[in-house]
Amino acid sequence: MANKFTSYNKEVMKRFLHPKNSGEIKNPDAVGKIRNDYCGDLMEIYLKIDDKDKKNPRIKDVKFQTMGCAAAIASSDVLCELARGKTLEQAKKIDNKLIIKRLKGLPSIKLHCSVLGERTLRDAIEKYEKKNSEG
Amino acid sequence: MKQIYLDNAATTKVDDKVLKSMLPYFTKRYGNASSQHLIGQEAKRALEESRHIIAKSIGAKDDEIIFTSGGTESNNLALKGLFFSHPEKNHIITSKIEHDSILNTCKWLETQGAKITYLDVDEKGFVNIKELEKAISSDTLIVSIIHGNNEIGVIQDIEEIGKICKERGVYFHTDACQSFTKVLINVKKQNLDLVTLNSHKIHGPKGVGALYVRKGIEITPLAHGGGHEKGLRSGTENIPGIVGFARAVKIANWKDVKKIKKIRDRLIKGILKISNTKLNGAEGEDRLCNNINICFNNIEGEAIGGYLDANGICSSTGSACSSNTLKTSHVLKAIGLSDIQTNTSIRLSLSRFNTNEEIDYVLKILNKIVRKLRRISPIK
């Protein structure tokens, strides 16, 4: 039994209480889905891809659904913001450090929530690329 | 923002009357109860009057009450104290839903040669009395079972356990931190040998508690020194704290217990109207009057707590996300909940200061929060 809310900064709390990027995308081009082994949190990322430029497909829209704590929800929200408009090559470079930076920090015990974000986005991109390479 | 405090199992607000009773002992009657002069003797009188109030409240004699710094110390003193003064027996029976101050004391005692049996509980949280009886052997020294559980509020049948322990000649200790003044405790009727009591869960100050030790039972002290508390707990007595503790006991009454129970049942009923929710632990009279523990499937307890906090409502969760070790609640696990279910749990614990108006507000907010978090959750 514990209460941790005060250990989050304002940015994390804002994103947690008022996420802008939550929800589903109908007919997504890719879905990333990872369950965190540490705590059981589940994150899903939906991607809509613009592939007019075949060599350089771009993330047109991205949304998340997360069953998780404040840090997981805030990480998801930031992740969507970071990924939107990026080419897949650019998006692959989004890592948990970038998520933490945009959140202006996470409590050390919550760093794994940002890793969950990184992994879920990569999972979505990998699935998209696999699907498209299979043609 | 007005705060609605529903975390009374963690700690409680000090009652204004309690605080008032304590204040003179900081600045006027501040003596050391061991001193022979007037100010010292005033402190001594306050100490003994307080001891009497607490002893009487559980049907004990005055000299069977040892003041400590709180529940954790009392639990440590009970188990370690018995263990080290009875080298002829090394077996301790306890349950899987004890407070950490029992479980971690037991774990440490294992390094000192103790053998510990951790009894399972059923899906409501009850210890199986027959299993308990079966676990008792000729090596068994102590049975230590929590009276009212701090997470799920289940109340064990300590009278039945006391009876068995008496018949089998083993000591019975119960941790009554959560149940004290909420459920009847009578050391004679219930055959209790050692009882842990504490002040800050009953609107008394923090840093003070007591251990009842039946007359004639030998225990080894944890702290050696000037021989206070019959040599079982050396250290100058915390007179203001002890006075406040006794006043808190005096104020507590069964009418308030009834009132809290009514509010509890109203809140439980309201929460269970939200879809996909489940009450953890026992119901009705088998549950502490102030405890509510609910799973809100498919959303995470820490997130619910965060939204509640943002709305001025203080709660607690058994979720791994909220613990320093990322471990889920051992109590919820023991009643058969999966890790995922445990992560969706919230504990709301009431006090006599909560009102029906507060409960209406909490229900309104909870409905909104659950709807929002379920929209965010991928599991439908």
Side-chain angles (χ1 to χ4, degrees):
Chain A
M1 297 276 128
N3 186 324
K4 277 248 139 46
F5 317 121
T6 46
S7 60
Y8 293 123
N9 66 36
K10 273 189 189 153
E11 182 66 21
V12 174
M13 285 308 286
K14 193 183 89 190
R15 302 248 175 206
F16 161 55
L17 294 172
H18 310 286
K20 291 200 179 88
N21 302 302
S22 70
E24 268 178 293
I25 293 178
K26 274 190 187 161
N27 306 315
D29 295 313
V31 180
K33 184 174 175 175
I34 301 280
R35 188 179 284 287
N36 200 331
D37 298 333
Y38 281 108
C39 57
D41 282 2
L42 179 68
M43 191 181 289
E44 292 190 14
I45 296 282
Y46 313 98
L47 299 183
K48 202 77 188 164
I49 308 283
D50 175 356
D51 61 355
K52 269 177 262 162
D53 181 353
K54 292 281 172 210
K55 278 188 194 149
N56 233 346
R58 192 175 283 276
I59 297 172
K60 203 162 69 183
D61 197 12
V62 47
K63 288 205 178 283
F64 78 90
Q65 288 198 310
T66 293
M67 184 226 171
C69 62
I73 290 172
S75 293
S76 311
D77 197 49
V78 155
L79 174 72
C80 292
E81 204 174 276
L82 289 168
R84 189 169 292 123
K86 299 267 183 357
T87 65
L88 293 188
E89 288 314 309
Q90 288 168 330
K92 281 179 198 168
K93 288 181 190 128
I94 296 170
D95 63 3
N96 82 307
K97 286 194 192 83
L98 214 55
I99 293 171
I100 292 167
K101 202 174 154 198
R102 186 65 70 96
L103 285 172
K104 297 176 182 150
L106 275 177
S108 57
I109 197 162
K110 292 290 183 178
L111 295 179
H112 67 271
C113 299
S114 61
V115 178
L116 179 63
E118 171 189 321
R119 285 175 60 209
T120 311
L121 178 63
R122 290 210 178 139
D123 184 52
I125 295 171
E126 270 167 32
K127 278 179 185 155
Y128 177 82
E129 288 181 337
K130 201 173 164 214
K131 189 177 78 182
N132 282 41
S133 69
E134 281 164 0
Chain B
M1 196 192 308
K2 188 183 177 268
Q3 294 290 309
I4 297 180
Y5 189 74
L6 300 183
D7 201 13
N8 289 280
T11 193
T12 60
K13 156 188 162 158
V14 171
D15 191 301
D16 290 338
K17 283 178 246 140
V18 168
L19 178 63
K20 214 175 147 199
S21 76
M22 294 170 67
L23 290 176
Y25 294 92
F26 285 106
T27 52
K28 290 194 187 92
R29 296 174 218 148
Y30 47 79
N32 185 322
S34 302
S35 300
Q36 296 305 313
H37 48 64
L38 178 72
I39 292 187
Q41 288 312 297
E42 277 177 348
K44 173 84 176 163
R45 197 180 319 130
L47 171 66
E48 294 314 322
E49 278 171 14
S50 301
R51 196 188 306 281
H52 180 68
I53 290 167
I54 289 158
K56 214 176 126 190
S57 75
I58 58 167
K61 295 186 203 84
D62 292 4
D63 61 353
E64 293 175 318
I65 298 294
I66 296 155
F67 286 113
T68 68
S69 64
T72 291
E73 187 190 333
S74 293
N75 281 341
N76 271 269
L77 179 59
L79 298 192
K80 292 177 188 168
L82 276 176
F83 182 77
F84 287 110
S85 56
H86 295 80
E88 71 282 3
K89 290 182 175 182
N90 71 343
H91 181 223
I92 298 172
I93 298 170
T94 188
S95 82
K96 287 187 178 166
I97 62 164
E98 299 299 312
H99 188 264
D100 279 340
S101 57
I102 290 289
L103 291 178
N104 287 331
T105 297
C106 284
K107 253 188 231 159
W108 182 79
L109 282 172
E110 280 178 297
T111 70
Q112 304 299 306
K115 297 264 183 298
I116 318 278
T117 300
Y118 300 92
L119 293 172
D120 287 318
V121 295
D122 66 17
E123 77 286 353
K124 300 271 184 207
F126 291 108
V127 166
N128 184 317
I129 304 279
K130 279 196 185 117
E131 267 176 41
L132 185 148
E133 215 174 343
K134 252 192 274 168
I136 298 175
S137 73
S138 56
D139 290 330
T140 307
L141 175 65
I142 323 157
V143 171
S144 178
I145 303 288
I146 191 166
H147 188 200
N149 183 267
N150 51 311
E151 291 190 38
I152 54 170
V154 60
I155 299 167
Q156 305 294 336
D157 187 350
I158 53 171
E159 190 167 344
E160 187 62 27
I161 299 171
K163 206 174 107 190
I164 291 164
C165 290
K166 193 183 180 189
E167 281 167 12
R168 301 289 298 271
V170 301
Y171 294 126
F172 178 33
H173 165 253
T174 188
D175 171 2
C177 285
Q178 297 285 343
S179 60
F180 186 37
T181 71
K182 297 182 182 74
V183 187
L184 182 86
I185 298 171
N186 185 294
V187 296
K188 281 194 205 94
K189 191 168 165 248
Q190 294 162 329
N191 283 305
L192 311 175
D193 295 309
L194 299 98
V195 182
T196 291
L197 304 173
N198 130 340
S199 153
H200 78 100
K201 312 283 192 196
I202 61 167
H203 306 291
K206 292 167 186 61
V208 57
L211 181 67
Y212 158 80
V213 184
R214 184 188 291 282
K215 211 171 192 166
I217 296 177
E218 264 181 48
I219 60 170
T220 303
L222 302 176
H224 298 85
H228 307 77
E229 300 297 293
K230 299 195 299 175
L232 295 177
R233 206 280 186 175
S234 285
T236 300
E237 299 88 348
N238 169 10
I239 303 293
I242 289 167
V243 167
F245 182 16
R247 180 54 64 101
V249 171
K250 223 172 170 179
I251 293 170
N253 65 77
W254 300 118
K255 220 171 103 189
D256 280 338
V257 170
K258 234 182 197 171
K259 181 194 126 180
I260 301 167
K261 216 175 267 175
K262 258 193 192 153
I263 296 178
R264 175 198 71 183
D265 289 342
R266 227 177 114 235
L267 186 49
I268 290 178
K269 215 173 134 190
I271 295 174
L272 291 179
K273 276 187 192 150
I274 302 173
S275 67
N276 232 334
T277 48
K278 177 182 164 287
L279 179 72
N280 298 314
E283 277 154 56
E285 295 301 309
D286 289 330
R287 186 181 196 101
L288 287 173
C289 63
N290 67 335
N291 174 286
I292 299 174
N293 192 309
I294 302 264
C295 279
F296 294 86
N297 283 347
N298 306 336
I299 50 178
E300 206 275 324
E302 196 220 72
I304 303 169
Y307 273 77
L308 284 171
D309 193 42
N311 285 282
I313 302 164
C314 306
S315 66
S316 180
T317 174
S319 167
C321 296
S322 194
S323 92
N324 290 326
T325 50
L326 291 177
K327 269 192 198 142
T328 54
S329 148
H330 64 275
V331 175
L332 296 176
K333 220 172 175 169
I335 60 169
L337 265 60
S338 67
D339 282 353
I340 303 252
Q341 283 174 312
T342 304
N343 279 346
T344 69
S345 75
I346 279 280
R347 179 187 71 184
L348 304 172
S349 46
L350 308 165
S351 82
R352 61 172 177 262
F353 295 110
N354 292 124
T355 63
N356 278 314
E357 288 70 45
E358 287 181 338
I359 297 314
D360 289 339
Y361 174 74
V362 170
L363 282 171
K364 198 179 97 190
I365 295 294
L366 248 182
N367 265 287
K368 270 194 203 164
I369 290 173
V370 172
R371 234 177 296 142
K372 178 158 184 184
L373 284 171
R374 283 199 175 141
R375 261 204 313 273
I376 296 178
S377 171
I379 314 164
K380 303 293 175 195

